[in-house]
Amino acid sequence: QRISNDDDIANNRDGMTQNANGIISNESSTNGHNVSVQSNGTRTDTNASNITSNANRTATNESGMNTIKTDAATNTANVANNTTNVSNNATNIGSNASNINDTGTKIDHF
């Protein structure tokens, strides 16, 4: 009977050792999972920051495009004004030529 009890005690000790090793393994695995969760949290924070940065860049790009559109409209208006000015200058040149001719005629008659 005593030998059987000793064997049972030895077996129980082995079982407790295995349980202790299993607890240590579980704790190690849990710690590994905790590190992964923290790492995923950091990635999430980084992604959120990148999304904000991209949104800011998009807003800057839209502002730049609006400025370009405004500049293009201004340039179009300036071209139209320049065309009008060229036409006016041509008319003025014609008037000046006519005035010069009139002056020449008056001098001849003088």
Side-chain angles (χ1 to χ4, degrees), residues 34-103:
N34 287 341
V35 170
S36 293
V37 169
Q38 289 172 354
S39 178
N40 288 342
T42 300
R43 287 191 194 99
T44 300
D45 290 342
T46 301
N47 288 342
S49 175
N50 288 341
I51 289 168
T52 301
S53 294
N54 288 342
N56 289 339
R57 287 191 192 99
T58 299
T60 301
N61 288 342
E62 285 176 354
S63 175
M65 285 188 288
N66 286 337
T67 300
I68 290 169
K69 288 176 185 175
T70 300
D71 289 348
T74 301
N75 288 343
T76 300
N78 287 342
V79 168
N81 288 337
N82 289 342
T83 301
T84 300
N85 288 341
V86 168
S87 176
N88 289 340
N89 287 343
T91 300
N92 289 339
I93 289 170
S95 295
N96 289 342
S98 176
N99 290 338
I100 289 169
N101 285 337
D102 289 347
T103 301

Side-chain angles (χ1 to χ4, degrees), residues 8-49:
D8 288 343
I9 290 168
N11 286 337
N12 286 342
R13 285 184 180 150
D14 286 344
M16 286 188 289
T17 300
Q18 288 174 2
N19 285 343
N21 288 338
I23 290 169
I24 291 169
S25 176
N26 286 343
E27 285 178 352
S28 176
S29 178
T30 299
N31 289 337
H33 289 317
N34 287 341
V35 170
S36 293
V37 169
Q38 289 172 354
S39 178
N40 288 342
T42 300
R43 287 191 194 99
T44 300
D45 290 342
T46 301
N47 288 342
S49 175

